[in-house]
Amino acid sequence: MKPKKQFFTTPIYYVNAKPHLGHAYTSIAADVATRFKQIDDYETFFLTGTDEHGDKIVQAAQKQETTPKEYADNISQLFQDLLPVLNVKNNHFIRTTDPGHIQVVKDVLSKIYDSGDIYFSSYEGLYCFGCERFYQERELIDGKCQDHGVEPTVIKESNYFFKMSKYQKWLINHIKANPDFIQPEQYKNEILSFLKDPLEDLCISRPKSRLTWGITLPFDEDYVTYVWFDALVNYISALGYPDGKLFKKFWPSTRHFVAKDIIKPHGIYWPIMLKAADIEIYNGLNVHGFWNVKGSKMSKSIGNVTDPIQVTNKYGIDPFRYFLMREMVFGLDANFTEETIVSRINSDLANDLGNLFSRVLSMNSRYFTGEVKGSDAKIEKQKNLSLASDAKKAVDEFKQAMSLCEFHKGVGAIWQFISIMNKYIDTTAPWTLAKDDANVLILGTVLYNLIEGLRVVSCLIYPIMPQTSLKMQETLCMEKREKGFYSLEETFPWGQIKKGTIIEKPDILFPRIDTNKIKPKSHKKKLSASNFDKSVAPGNPVK
RNA sequence: GGCGACGUAGCUCAGUUGGUCAGAGCAUGCGGCUCAUAUCCGCAGAGUCCGGGGUUCAAGUCCCUGCGUCGCUACCA
């Protein structure tokens, strides 16, 4: 069988500001998807990077009295440093200032220019000299530029244009012929409805008199290319287009992770650029929504721009990754609040999974001094004690959901199985069995099935919580895999933990976060989520 | 203005192609257990699925319309 391949990308992040929650989400989602493909036996390649040209960078650099390159270096470094903090494992980090990238951009531009799809034309528009940019009429307030309060001047400027309109029909057909080209479907519909109106050609250059911080056009020394070619081409330049091995190997399997605000460049310009350059079209787009923070859009003025590093430091990498995947329906917006993340950590991670892990292994320690007794086949069948089919169901549902980027459903499938195991304990009541030596085989079988269930869970959570996955597997004395994970294929057959294995009583997997400053009188009374904010339990992971 | 999304239990939200769809989690109340991280298990909620109209044998689920919230409108995930 032909080995399965998968190439995932994040957008290249624009270096005009430091990374925030949104960037972290995209990177983590792509990382989770990549790791999932890995456990599904795909060979993967994961690309992320930074977009570093354009006037905003020049302006930002001027403000800091530095050069654009130096400025870009600094911010790019912040994005690079974020990856290990989030445990995102990329194969390559591309920067649009990389010489290799610049060359590919020029090559692609030349190719399209030679084939006649780029033309020179004059453009007349409303130009604000203060902002050094053209305005659309609708952007103006009372006909004036907001920043300078000045009416823009009508000026003419000659530029290069890309004939997008020529490929409009082709693109519509392509999207319709490939139903998963843009996912989820709502965004496909959005693009198709946008394509109902005639497409305008795209201005792809800026005269050097206005902007020099960019890639010089290969066919005109006096111009730099502006944004689209510069940025989007990173996806192929990073793979060594046109002749690179990686390009040949991975390009056809490409899926780009993007947030909903950049679906037009990715869903329209990019495929048309590829088509015009006679390059195979990428496989598709996975479009996600925005994170609101405390109910409103992240913005500097509201002051709710969330720093992923702070959140990670406070709650831990795995809980943060879990929360992002569990809480957002891929494609839709979601809300980020500390209340919700704490609630998720306490109920899903500490109470459900962590406590299950703890109670099962504690019982095994207590009743069998940690020795895995194994299942008695006859008793298992007779008493219907196997958890294998429930585990299988979880694996199947998990796989199905994760393949479609339905991360919240994938997580849900695992947690359903966790819940089944908690119920199973209640039903079988091992503490009662333990009171009578006659039940030792039943007790052993029950605990064995639970331990096996935990083994499967440890494999499934790997894409989302790699550290926890490993920690569980170490505790369960599972053989360490060189690649760092067990594949889905390897989760079965049932019954892999060897009889006689000694399993130590584990450390707490996820400490509960104490939301009480003052202990309530009744043990049942849990704290309402209102006064948890700053109080994080002392034992909480800080790494 | 144009385009689009959303409005389902106290809260946060799921609900493929219309027919066990009236759901999950959290919160709350009561009960049970005691192995476990004061955790786990069971039971409970009468929510006009925003209002109105339509299509249909059958509509949160499709169409129209009204109201409400919000996003995008070209280079901030």
Side-chain angles (χ1 to χ4, degrees), chain A residues 5-9 45 47 235 239 250-251 253-255:
Chain A
K5 309 265 193 296
Q6 183 70 61
F7 177 41
F8 283 130
T9 72
F45 197 86
L47 173 71
Y235 299 130
L239 293 181
F250 286 107
W251 180 245
S253 68
T254 305
R255 290 200 72 88

Side-chain angles (χ1 to χ4, degrees), chain A residues 165 168-169 172 190-200 268:
Chain A
S165 49
Q168 180 160 7
K169 230 179 195 156
I172 292 171
E190 223 173 287
I191 290 289
L192 283 174
S193 89
F194 185 79
L195 286 171
K196 280 177 186 156
D197 293 327
L199 217 43
E200 283 175 34
I268 297 175

Side-chain angles (χ1 to χ4, degrees), chain A residues 351-365 367 418 421-426 430-431 447 450 454 506:
Chain A
N351 295 352
D352 293 345
L353 173 57
N355 183 57
L356 173 68
F357 192 63
S358 168
R359 68 195 299 210
V360 168
L361 298 183
S362 287
M363 284 192 280
N364 199 59
S365 280
Y367 304 140
I418 288 170
M421 286 197 276
N422 272 321
K423 289 191 218 311
Y424 176 93
I425 295 176
D426 210 62
W431 51 90
L447 290 179
L450 288 164
L454 290 171

